Amino acid sequence: MKPDVLQLKALSPQLEAGLEAAYAVHRPYRAADPDALIAQVAETVRAVVTGGDLGMPAALWARLPALEIVAVHGVGLDKVDLDVAAARGVTVTTTPGVLTQDVAELAIGLWLSLSRRMVSVDRYVREGRWPKAERLALARRATGRTVGILGLGQIGRAIADMAAPFAGQIAYHSRRPVEGVPYAYQASPLELAKAVNVLFLVTPGDAGPLVDADVLAALGPDGLLVNVARGSVVDEAALVAALSDGTIAGAGLDVFEDEPNVPEALLTMDNVVLQPHRGSATEEARAAMAALVLENLERHFSG
Ligand code: 8YV
């Protein structure tokens, strides 16, 4: 008998095919009545497969008495209650390592496209404004800017290393200083924001809003914010206000407080570049993530 698996969100075709080959897969998000489907299979579900963005909805724990493993397709654990998992003896797995460069690339891309205004200028070309010689504001040079990394984990480190060849000084703040890195440690998010022109957010999402109105004010009117972590890392209302009144110059955002809902005000701003949570969305990362989710499940079920 194939073990029952509850898949909570749409995943790549290769992962879904791999799951089907080895497990009896139940997909409430595709069912007309998701709740009824969960009720039907709840007693025997041994594994949940979910994304880092969605995690494990709190109410689901109590409904799955036979649950043994939560396999996360991603690295974020902010939406999986690890205390409950530990108390229940449920294994939680993620897909570390295989998406690091991809998320870092997107972060660097957001920075460069913000500095060089590539997205708003793309609109200028598409809208036929070039032949009209309509005046276009100049961009800013990215080279030489001081860069701050909030959260120097694996991905934060990759962003710093990618930025290093052309950034000016690089500083970071993490819960504690990281040994053996060539980057300057700042004691708080506020101190970091004061010291840099570009602030990358790469912390886990369960640390609360580390970036508030004060941090944004410290980043300043030339400052750029890039968030590839979680919407919860920044006070989104304060960010929208800071972008509209010029407290900071711009923001590149891959994540939001209430995905897939993006604050209406951001949609009309030229000083933001918006992505629908795409950090790990490359063929290479997603293929490796799929393989790792399957391997994590396989290792669990084979003991
Ligand atoms: C994915 C993520 O978008 O790794 C994470 O925590 O948020 C992303 O990689 C997500 O997990 C896709 O299912």
Side-chain angles (χ1 to χ4, degrees):
M1 272 259 291
K2 289 176 172 180
D4 283 303
V5 168
L6 197 61
Q7 179 188 330
L8 297 187
K9 61 172 282 190
L11 294 164
S12 62
Q14 73 221 79
L15 177 48
E16 298 196 347
L19 287 172
E20 272 154 34
Y23 308 100
V25 187
H26 310 286
R27 301 188 168 103
Y29 62 92
R30 275 191 207 160
D33 187 345
D35 230 50
L37 174 69
I38 294 173
Q40 257 171 40
V41 298
E43 288 295 317
T44 55
V45 165
R46 296 172 65 190
V48 161
V49 176
T50 185
D53 47 356
L54 176 65
M56 176 75 176
L60 208 48
W61 288 106
R63 299 183 67 184
L64 306 176
L67 186 63
E68 297 167 26
I69 177 169
V70 174
V72 178
H73 173 263
V75 292
L77 283 172
D78 50 304
K79 297 213 172 95
V80 179
D81 190 329
L82 295 180
D83 292 334
V84 176
R88 287 272 305 268
V90 170
T91 298
V92 179
T93 61
T94 58
T95 60
V98 297
L99 49 71
T100 309
Q101 298 301 314
D102 309 79
V103 179
E105 278 178 8
L106 185 71
I108 298 289
L110 285 169
W111 170 29
L112 297 183
S113 58
L114 271 174
S115 290
R116 299 305 307 265
R117 300 178 178 269
M118 287 196 285
V119 174
S120 60
V121 172
D122 174 277
R123 283 195 286 267
Y124 169 92
V125 175
R126 287 172 200 263
E127 289 164 8
R129 290 152 58 198
W130 191 8
K132 294 179 196 150
E134 198 181 304
R135 203 178 162 80
L136 200 52
L138 294 176
R140 294 296 301 266
R141 179 186 289 159
T143 305
R145 300 254 137 192
T146 51
V147 163
I149 312 282
L150 186 55
L152 202 71
Q154 232 179 72
I155 299 172
R157 183 74 200 266
I159 294 172
D161 293 349
M162 273 187 202
F166 63 95
Q169 219 203 336
I170 298 182
Y172 72 98
H173 171 75
S174 278
R175 269 171 270 217
R176 59 193 73 83
V178 179
E179 297 219 351
V181 298
Y183 311 123
Y185 182 71
Q186 293 288 344
S188 68
L190 187 66
E191 293 306 313
L192 181 64
K194 278 184 199 162
V196 301
N197 307 124
V198 190
L199 183 59
F200 289 95
L201 310 184
V202 216
T203 55
D206 46 11
L210 297 175
V211 175
D212 58 13
D214 290 344
V215 173
L216 293 167
L219 189 56
D222 268 344
L224 300 176
L225 183 91
V226 174
N227 190 1
V228 289
R230 286 292 185 261
S232 56
V233 174
V234 49
D235 175 341
E236 202 167 72
L239 175 61
V240 170
L243 285 164
S244 51
D245 67 13
T247 300
I248 65 168
L253 305 172
D254 185 41
V255 288
F256 302 88
E257 243 169 47
D258 179 31
E259 295 171 9
N261 302 306
V262 174
E264 188 82 30
L266 293 179
L267 303 180
T268 53
M269 290 182 189
D270 262 355
N271 56 343
V272 297
V273 178
L274 307 172
Q275 293 284 297
H277 203 138
R278 295 269 293 173
S280 67
T282 65
E283 301 216 2
E284 292 81 359
R286 288 291 166 86
M289 289 162 74
L292 206 41
V293 168
L294 292 171
E295 187 186 323
N296 288 338
L297 289 168
E298 215 275 314
R299 283 175 170 223
H300 171 80
F301 285 111
S302 65

